[in-house]
Amino acid sequence: MKTKMNVLALALVPFISLAQDDTTSKEPELTTAIELGFLLKTGNTNSADIRAGAELRYDLEHWRNSLNFNILGKKGEVTDEEGNDKWVTSDQTWNIAGKTNYILNERGTNYIYGSGDYKQDRFSGFESQSSMSTGWGRRWYKTEVASFDADIGPGFKRDVVSATETTAEETRDAFIIQASGLYLHKINSHVQFRQFVSAKYAPKNGENNVYRSETSVITKLIETLQLKFSLNIDHNSVVEPGTKKTDTETAVTLVYSF
């Protein structure tokens, strides 16, 4: 719980500090997006899936800040050994991530960052996974329609391995090198492509490395409503026996921005 609170505190620091900063004359830019997808299937097979998320971005002078929250739940109807139908949870995941960039030069190319995230995935073999990192980044490419940012820095990672019938819950702490990149491309006035990749590499032999890829295409339906197609891939290099290393998620959701 202490680690969880530390990560959430780091995620909120940029917003608290900026709220207290009144020395700049530039108007702040605040954008919020709420994402929702739902699928209910009845008949020969009964199931229900829901995916929801929220993104908050706050930019002011030399600061670029973001806070993201996502949740995924899946239930399906199965028949037990006695022939009774019951609903069983097949997937349950939620995560929160915060990041702040402080721009170092007038051109906005170089920046230092601080980031933190916390994740719970009921069926991953981990009770929770969290990390913190800080380092240097650069906007390597910027045009009217596209941009590419990448950063790297040291950090700390904590994996809490779930208890089983034969083993107790275990906490594994590790020093990491974190690297991430974000590419944005505005295909036209209604369609945007987004590609995000990250790696949390633990140099010590035998420790778990975490990799993530988020690919999405967002199509504007009206001024404040978009349709989002996304593919997310998560990979852990070291997992418990009987657990797969790679999870993928494909989704179609509606996004409301304001």
Side-chain angles (χ1 to χ4, degrees):
M1 177 62 69
K2 184 177 179 180
T3 300
K4 178 179 177 181
M5 295 303 296
N6 288 340
V7 172
L8 296 182
L10 176 61
L12 294 174
V13 163
F15 300 94
I16 297 174
S17 63
L18 287 175
Q20 298 173 341
D21 184 3
D22 59 359
T23 61
T24 179
S25 59
K26 182 178 178 181
E27 289 296 324
E29 297 179 9
L30 175 65
T31 58
T32 304
I34 298 175
E35 180 179 342
L36 180 63
F38 181 73
L39 173 63
L40 177 64
K41 185 177 181 181
T42 61
N44 295 314
T45 302
N46 296 327
S47 64
D49 303 350
I50 185 170
R51 188 184 191 284
E55 178 181 21
L56 177 66
R57 300 189 65 86
Y58 191 96
D59 296 348
L60 178 63
E61 278 297 317
H62 295 284
W63 298 91
R64 291 196 295 261
N65 311 279
S66 64
L67 183 66
N68 295 272
F69 175 78
N70 291 281
I71 185 170
L72 172 68
K74 294 183 180 181
K75 282 184 175 290
E77 190 177 53
V78 299
T79 304
D80 60 21
E81 297 179 352
E82 299 178 355
N84 299 317
D85 294 332
K86 60 180 182 179
W87 286 81
V88 176
T89 300
S90 59
D91 198 355
Q92 189 177 77
T93 306
W94 73 270
N95 72 278
I96 185 169
K99 185 175 184 180
T100 183
N101 295 346
Y102 180 76
I103 302 170
L104 297 173
N105 56 353
E106 294 299 327
R107 295 178 58 191
T109 52
N110 296 297
Y111 60 88
I112 54 175
Y113 79 89
S115 67
D117 64 80
Y118 179 87
K119 178 181 180 181
Q120 285 189 349
D121 187 343
R122 181 175 169 184
F123 297 94
S124 67
F126 296 99
E127 185 69 23
S128 66
Q129 292 180 282
S130 57
S131 69
M132 295 181 179
S133 175
T134 185
W136 170 84
R138 180 178 176 84
R139 174 156 288 180
W140 297 93
Y141 178 74
K142 172 67 175 178
T143 67
E144 293 183 356
V145 297
S147 65
F148 174 67
D149 293 9
D151 47 57
I152 188 170
F156 171 83
K157 177 172 69 70
R158 170 167 290 180
D159 293 342
V160 181
V161 182
S162 301
T164 66
E165 295 180 356
T166 57
T167 61
E169 182 181 286
E170 180 183 0
T171 299
R172 299 173 181 173
D173 296 336
F175 167 81
I176 61 172
I177 300 297
Q178 178 173 298
S180 66
L182 174 63
Y183 176 72
L184 300 174
H185 184 83
K186 187 177 180 181
I187 299 174
N188 56 46
S189 59
H190 297 284
V191 181
Q192 183 185 60
F193 172 81
R194 182 182 188 274
Q195 177 64 59
F196 173 78
V197 293
S198 69
K200 300 173 184 178
Y201 174 71
K204 188 176 180 180
N205 187 38
E207 292 182 331
N208 180 37
N209 304 315
V210 181
Y211 306 96
R212 180 170 179 81
S213 171
E214 302 175 4
T215 307
S216 62
V217 176
I218 301 176
T219 303
K220 182 185 294 185
L221 301 178
I222 57 176
E223 188 62 29
T224 58
L225 189 65
Q226 299 92 36
L227 185 65
K228 179 179 178 181
F229 303 85
S230 61
L231 171 63
N232 297 332
I233 303 174
D234 289 288
H235 179 82
N236 288 274
S237 64
V238 178
V239 297
E240 297 304 292
T243 304
K244 295 183 178 179
K245 293 184 177 181
T246 303
D247 290 321
T248 63
E249 174 193 328
T250 305
V252 179
T253 53
L254 288 174
V255 181
Y256 177 70
S257 302
F258 56 95

